[in-house]
Amino acid sequence: KRYDLQRKLRLFEQTSYFDVKENKQVVRDIPKEFIKPWDSFTTDARNELEKIVVSFKQNLRVINKTTNKYLTYENGKKVLKPQIKGDSWAIRKPLHKDTVFAKVSLQKIKKVKLSEALKNPENIVDKRFRSEILRIGATYGKFDPDKINKYFKDRKYLYEKTDISKVAIYYFETDNAAVRKSLDTSFTEKTIKESVTDSGIQKILLNHLAMKNNKPEQAFSPEGIEDMNRNITTLNNGKPHQPIFKVRIYEPIGNKFQVGYTGNKKTKYVEAAKGTNLFFAIYADDAGNRSYETIALNIVAERLKQGLKAVPERNKKEHELLFHLSPNDLVYVPTEEELIGGTKCRIEDIKASRIYKMVSCTGSQCFFIPNNIAYPIVQTAELGANNKSEKSWDGIMIKQVCIKMFINRLGEMIM
């Protein structure tokens, strides 16, 4: 009863006040003042909230066994039977983007020393000089690069008053993948020269771009493309050409991987789909120096099918795996004073403000945000360009010093 009376008294004090001038109790329209349970309640609440570390249960299902069933006839009746043939594995993530690239071999030109060019004289660009080299080689009975090089060296590397100490040769780039793309305003002069595979189409596009004052927004707008195809014969130096709406562009294979290993699948390459970089491996050599690698989803799926761990225990340099990180994993960024033996620290020394959450990774980069940020609303310098950063808020590169934290089912931190 005493507690109920105190509660009612507090409620009455919150919803009314005593007006001294009127000498009476006045009821408030809207209560705007609240009585704290104790004087330092707000400060204490904030301090305790800042100690809370939010962790997430990891459930990274990359592959798992399926229980497919199919309809078949037995004794004239339809029967639903489980699948027996095949390995019955199901991939729970998109393996790659929809766009498929084809591996291409592109002929390029570069200048090399004459001695280098003589190793494969058929690749020399200048036809007249190539014929002269073959003629000189025939006078020696057999083609001898050293003798031919000495022949020109004695003549101070001059051929028809032209310096031939360095000559242009053809060579082939094989580590490229190409895909067809519709013409648009992104086709600048640089893009056309460095990306379009067909040299004939390159000339047409560059001639058309030059007629439009090198302005892609005019040259390759819908009206500009129509104008180009209307005058395509003129742009092609009087030779007829089919209308151009799509062109084949190329780029380095890089992190692209083969669709398969048989038939024409081995020449088709794809890129990993967004959000499928789930494992960031941190390795260390004997001296403790760290190296980093994002493990592609197709490699993870293949390893799991074979019954191995998702991340290789050693990288190509034979560095040993320290640990791997996935999105929502927590790491601690210790100070030099907190480190024990360079790899550990005491649980009692942990400060919640130095705990970071792994967000994403690509290549050798790994990005984090402080563990107490759920979703950033305002862009800040500390969080970085995409609201995530490789560095902690005090400028430390997180992946270089971080220690992975494990949270058990009771919410207890384990280092």
Side-chain angles (χ1 to χ4, degrees):
K1 289 181 180 179
R2 182 180 178 185
Y3 173 77
D4 287 342
L5 184 63
Q6 288 177 340
R7 187 174 61 82
K8 288 177 182 178
L9 180 61
R10 284 184 178 177
L11 185 63
F12 178 74
E13 288 175 346
Q14 289 175 5
T15 57
S16 63
Y17 68 96
F18 185 79
D19 193 329
V20 179
K21 291 183 179 179
E22 298 291 335
N23 197 24
K24 64 178 182 179
Q25 197 78 10
V26 179
V27 177
R28 300 177 188 273
D29 294 333
I30 300 174
K32 295 181 180 178
E33 297 178 6
F34 300 90
I35 297 176
K36 300 178 185 178
W38 58 89
D39 292 340
S40 61
F41 172 76
T42 51
T43 305
D44 294 345
R46 176 172 179 170
N47 292 338
E48 291 303 315
L49 285 171
E50 287 178 346
K51 295 178 184 176
I52 295 174
V53 178
V54 179
S55 63
F56 296 86
K57 180 184 176 182
Q58 287 289 19
N59 187 20
L60 295 175
R61 291 201 307 164
V62 176
I63 64 169
N64 66 315
K65 283 282 187 178
T66 60
T67 53
N68 296 332
K69 295 183 179 181
Y70 64 97
L71 283 171
T72 185
Y73 283 92
E74 283 188 0
N75 300 323
K77 293 183 179 180
K78 278 187 178 181
V79 182
L80 197 65
K81 297 187 71 175
Q83 177 186 338
I84 300 174
K85 292 182 179 179
D87 52 15
S88 304
W89 287 110
I91 308 293
R92 294 300 178 183
K93 296 283 182 181
L95 273 176
H96 57 80
K97 294 178 182 177
D98 295 337
T99 305
V100 178
F101 293 79
K103 188 175 182 180
V104 291
S105 181
L106 299 172
Q107 189 182 67
K108 297 289 189 73
I109 296 174
K110 66 178 178 181
K111 278 199 168 187
V112 297
K113 289 182 178 180
L114 179 62
S115 57
E116 186 69 24
L118 290 172
K119 293 178 182 178
N120 296 289
E122 65 277 6
N123 292 334
I124 295 174
V125 176
D126 191 327
K127 293 181 180 179
R128 291 182 62 191
F129 183 55
R130 190 195 317 160
S131 300
E132 178 67 12
I133 287 173
L134 296 175
R135 186 191 65 78
I136 296 169
T139 61
Y140 292 112
K142 66 174 184 177
F143 190 85
D144 190 332
D146 294 332
K147 287 183 178 179
I148 297 171
N149 186 55
K150 186 177 183 306
Y151 173 87
F152 285 107
K153 185 178 180 181
D154 294 340
R155 288 157 181 78
K156 298 182 179 180
Y157 290 109
L158 289 175
Y159 170 67
E160 295 182 350
K161 299 181 180 180
T162 304
D163 182 12
I164 46 90
S165 58
K166 286 190 175 182
V167 295
I169 64 166
Y170 293 115
Y171 74 100
F172 288 88
E173 279 188 357
T174 56
D175 294 330
N176 290 306
V179 66
R180 290 183 67 79
K181 182 182 177 183
S182 298
L183 280 174
D184 56 31
T185 54
S186 65
F187 280 82
T188 61
E189 183 180 357
K190 183 180 179 182
T191 303
I192 294 169
K193 287 181 177 178
E194 296 180 358
S195 300
V196 178
T197 59
D198 192 300
S199 57
I201 291 177
Q202 266 191 30
K203 291 176 183 177
I204 294 172
L205 297 180
L206 289 171
N207 289 338
H208 177 62
L209 186 62
M211 289 182 65
K212 300 293 182 180
N213 300 318
N214 285 328
K215 293 181 179 179
E217 58 276 7
Q218 293 181 13
F220 301 115
S221 63
E223 296 80 9
I225 295 171
E226 185 180 349
D227 183 44
M228 177 187 70
N229 289 323
R230 194 183 304 116
N231 304 303
I232 197 164
T233 303
T234 306
L235 295 169
N236 197 30
N237 299 325
K239 298 176 184 177
H241 197 284
Q242 292 294 322
I244 301 171
F245 297 99
K246 287 186 175 182
V247 295
R248 196 169 68 155
I249 62 171
Y250 70 93
E251 59 186 61
I253 288 176
N255 292 326
K256 300 178 185 68
F257 57 90
Q258 291 170 280
V259 174
Y261 300 97
T262 59
N264 64 358
K265 290 182 179 178
K266 61 187 177 183
T267 61
K268 293 182 178 180
Y269 286 76
V270 288
E271 285 182 305
K274 186 178 180 181
T276 57
N277 287 344
L278 303 176
F279 296 92
F280 183 76
I282 298 180
Y283 297 92
D285 60 14
D286 296 336
N289 300 315
R290 294 187 177 188
S291 57
Y292 318 96
E293 183 182 350
T294 296
I295 311 300
L297 184 68
N298 61 308
I299 296 174
V300 172
E302 186 61 35
R303 288 181 61 84
L304 292 175
K305 280 178 64 177
Q306 296 173 12
L308 303 172
K309 292 183 179 179
V311 177
E313 283 84 1
R314 289 186 175 274
N315 62 6
K316 294 178 181 178
K317 299 177 182 178
E318 288 300 314
H319 295 171
E320 189 176 355
L321 178 70
L322 286 180
F323 54 86
H324 68 267
L325 299 174
S326 297
N328 289 329
D329 276 348
L330 298 179
V331 298
Y332 186 68
V333 183
T335 59
E336 291 183 5
E337 295 77 20
E338 293 172 340
L339 277 176
I340 301 172
T343 56
K344 294 182 180 180
C345 65
R346 290 186 293 269
I347 292 289
E348 54 269 23
D349 293 336
I350 288 177
K351 303 177 184 66
S353 61
R354 301 192 67 80
I355 297 176
Y356 286 77
K357 179 175 70 174
M358 191 272 211
V359 178
S360 65
C361 60
T362 178
S364 61
Q365 292 182 297
C366 193
F367 300 93
F368 303 83
I369 60 172
N371 83 94
N372 56 3
I373 293 179
Y375 184 82
I377 300 171
V378 181
Q379 176 70 49
T380 64
E382 293 89 352
L383 280 174
N386 296 311
N387 283 330
K388 55 186 179 181
S389 176
E390 291 187 90
K391 294 185 177 181
S392 63
W393 283 25
D394 53 355
I396 298 172
M397 187 64 77
I398 296 175
K399 65 183 180 183
Q400 293 179 354
V401 298
C402 67
I403 301 171
K404 186 175 181 178
M405 300 182 67
F406 298 92
I407 312 295
N408 65 15
R409 297 180 71 177
L410 298 176
E412 297 172 333
M413 289 184 291
I414 306 168
M415 299 296 286

